Every structure is written in structure tokens, then in C-alpha cells.
């Protein structure tokens, strides 16, 4: 797939929050987006879930013990966190800050409970103090629950009971898509990625995110 050329002109850092029921294809779409946009980074979450086969520590997740998670939580190190399917997951403020500082945008693959916490904190002065961060909320849907279940089975990483639990949770999660900014149906992967790519491209060009650049141009 073609890569977007690195541009010298950047809008200010955006958090792209992507949620979906398990099996909808969120991981696949987020990875494709990170490969496509040179200034887009994936936020690596902290989790108490054990790694699946082929998952690499500090690449897919930071795999940590419940004790370490508790410690981070107490110190207020998470922007958001949630218990999902029996394990805890969280996003580190410090990690996000260091990526945003480099002028990159970040894609966060997080569940609906975590996304809600990010939404509630929108408008807070956060990273680097002088700047309010902004977030865009994107929900990925499977074409049907049957397809979703099939994808989980074919992925071959979860046992029968886990798949059952994930499908049961899916219906609750899908209802939450109502307050997201965008909803993308992942039927054909290329078509879904074209929509995701368009959303990211358009959001980066929003007037309020380009203000700093515009001011720089007319004040010279
Ligand atoms: P999630 O992260 O939402 O749980 P994944 O990205 O792991 O989902 O996708 C679940 C499975 O479905 C994977 O095996 C992936 O390769 C496959 N998949 C993802 N999108 C599509 C698609 N549009 N068509 C067919 N298979 C897909
Ligand atoms: P999985 O175990 O399949 O990798 O992820 C299970 C769920 O946890 C997915 O819905 C995923 O989006 C969510 N998740 C992963 N990282 C985080 C995180 O840092 N915070 C929250 N709230 N959810 C996360």
C-alpha cells in the first residue's frame, strides 16, 4: 500500500480513539493506519492480560502484573483505564505526552468505558500544560454479529468460552457507538480503510487544529 509522504506542515496532536466489539477488525485497521501515516503512532496500552501466542511485550502491549497496575493507578499515571473481559487495561499519560511532543498523532485502540473517560476529560489542559489536547472518536462495526463470531473463530487466538463472552459484551458495546463522531462498517477491509483514512485526513485539516500554523504564516 502507498505511504503518505512526510509533510513539513503539521496540525496539532490529535488522539484518534478507536473502539469496536472484539472481532470487528479494529486491530487490523489501526495497524494499517499506522503503516500508512508516517506521523501516526499506536499507543501501547498496559494490561494485566497474559500475552497471546505471537504477542510481543512492549510492542502489542506492556504486559504487567495486577500489582504494578495498582501502583500505576494509585500514582494517577493513566489517562483512562478499564476492566475488559476480566482483565485491566490502561493508557499512560506519560507515554502519550512523549509521542505528542514529537508532533505525532496517536491512535488509541481502547474499549467504550475508556473512550468515555477520554471524552469526559476533553477540554482539560493536559499535555505540555499550555495546550488542550483534542480527541476524535471512531467506532468500528462488523457487518453482522455472525461475521464477527466467524472472524474471532478464524483468528484462532481465543477459546470457545472467551469468544462467547466477547460476543455477549459486543451488544452492550455497540449501543455506545451512538456518541462517537464516526461509525465505520468493516465489511470489505480496503473499503473500511479508505473511510478511516479519509476521517484521519479530514480531521487533521480542521480549522481549529491548523490555527497555530495559520498564525505563523500571517505573522511573518
Ligand atoms: P479486533 O481487534 O477488533 O478484535 P482483529 O483486527 O483482530 O479484530 O480482526 C479479527 C480477525 O478478522 C482477524 O483474523 C483479521 O485478520 C480478520 N479481519 C479483520 N478485518 C477483516 C475484513 N474486513 N474481512 C475479513 N477478515 C477481517
Ligand atoms: P484484547 O484483549 O482483545 O487485546 O483487547 C480487549 C479490549 O480491551 C479491546 O476492546 C481493546 O480495545 C481494549 N483495550 C486495549 N487497550 C486498552 C486500554 O488501554 N484502555 C481501555 N479502556 N481498553 C483497552
Amino acid at each position: 500500500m502507498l505511504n503518505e509522504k512526510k509533510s513539513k506542515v503539521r496540525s496539532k496532536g490529535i488522539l484518534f480513539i478507536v473502539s469496536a466489539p472484539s472481532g470487528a477488525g479494529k486491530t487490523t485497521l489501526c495497524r494499517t493506519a499506522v503503516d500508512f501515516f508516517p506521523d501516526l503512532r499506536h499507543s501501547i496500552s498496559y494490561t494485566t492480560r497474559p500475552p497471546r501466542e505471537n504477542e510481543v511485550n512492549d510492542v502489542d502491549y506492556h504486559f504487567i502484573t495486577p500489582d504494578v497496575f495498582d501502583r500505576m493507578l494509585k500514582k494517577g499515571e493513566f489517562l483512562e483505564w478499564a476492566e475488559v473481559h476480566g482483565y485491566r487495561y490502561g493508557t499512560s499519560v506519560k507515554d502519550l505526552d512523549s509521542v505528542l511532543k514529537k508532533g505525532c498523532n496517536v491512535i488509541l485502540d481502547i474499549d467504550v468505558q475508556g473512550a468515555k473517560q477520554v471524552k469526559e476529560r476533553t477540554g482539560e489542559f493536559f499535555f505540555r500544560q499550555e495546550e488542550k489536547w483534542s480527541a476524535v472518536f471512531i467506532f468500528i462495526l462488523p457487518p453482522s454479529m455472525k461475521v464477527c463470531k466467524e472472524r474471532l473463530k478464524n483468528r484462532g487466538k481465543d477459546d470457545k468460552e472467551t469468544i462467547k463472552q466477547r460476543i455477549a459484551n459486543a451488544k452492550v458495546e455497540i449501543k455506545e457507538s451512538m456518541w462517537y463522531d464516526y461509525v465505520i462498517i468493516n465489511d470489505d477491509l480496503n473499503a473500511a480503510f479508505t473511510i478511516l483514512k479519509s476521517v484521519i485526513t479530514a480531521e487533521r485539516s480542521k480549522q481549529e487544529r491548523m490555527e497555530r500554523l495559520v498564525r505563523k504564516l500571517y505573522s511573518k
Side-chain angles (χ1 to χ4, degrees), residues 53-212:
E53 213 183 283
N54 301 327
E55 278 184 332
V56 178
N57 189 33
D58 299 334
V59 174
D60 298 289
Y61 281 104
H62 301 292
F63 294 100
I64 56 172
T65 62
D67 280 353
V68 174
F69 199 98
D70 281 340
R71 239 177 287 145
M72 290 180 74
L73 195 57
K74 265 192 203 140
K75 285 201 231 156
E77 291 186 21
F78 292 124
L79 167 67
E80 61 72 35
W81 74 276
E83 185 166 325
V84 191
H85 312 132
Y87 296 103
R88 288 182 290 168
Y89 299 78
T91 306
S92 151
V93 174
K94 223 197 288 173
D95 292 359
L96 283 185
D97 198 19
S98 73
V99 178
L100 290 173
K101 252 186 217 156
K102 291 179 193 148
C104 290
N105 298 314
V106 189
I107 196 157
L108 286 83
D109 161 350
I110 62 176
D111 90 311
V112 293
Q113 307 169 75
K116 210 177 248 175
Q117 293 167 41
V118 178
K119 181 107 178 162
E120 278 158 12
R121 300 183 76 161
T122 300
E124 274 181 30
F125 281 94
F126 221 77
F127 310 103
R128 288 168 276 164
Q129 295 307 312
E130 81 273 16
E131 217 172 72
K132 286 181 188 176
W133 52 271
S134 62
V136 177
F137 296 85
I138 303 165
F139 202 95
I140 312 289
L141 283 176
S144 69
M145 291 319 296
K146 195 168 161 241
V147 169
C148 197
K149 203 169 172 181
E150 280 308 309
R151 284 185 189 163
L152 284 178
K153 274 193 207 158
N154 294 339
R155 186 168 71 179
K157 287 185 180 161
D158 302 292
D159 58 40
K160 244 182 171 172
E161 195 45 48
T162 307
I163 292 179
K164 213 169 133 191
Q165 191 189 4
R166 285 177 179 235
I167 291 295
N169 284 349
K171 292 187 182 161
V172 180
E173 289 165 340
I174 288 171
K175 276 194 194 148
E176 295 291 326
S177 67
M178 288 198 288
W179 58 263
Y180 279 65
D181 299 314
Y182 299 93
V183 174
I184 301 173
I185 296 173
N186 179 22
D187 190 352
D188 174 75
L189 187 59
N190 280 332
F193 181 63
T194 301
I195 301 172
L196 179 60
K197 196 165 68 181
S198 311
V199 166
I200 293 174
T201 306
E203 285 289 340
R204 290 196 312 186
S205 298
K206 272 211 158 154
Q207 188 277 335
E208 70 256 27
R209 300 202 175 99
M210 300 300 275
E211 251 174 44
R212 206 165 38 179

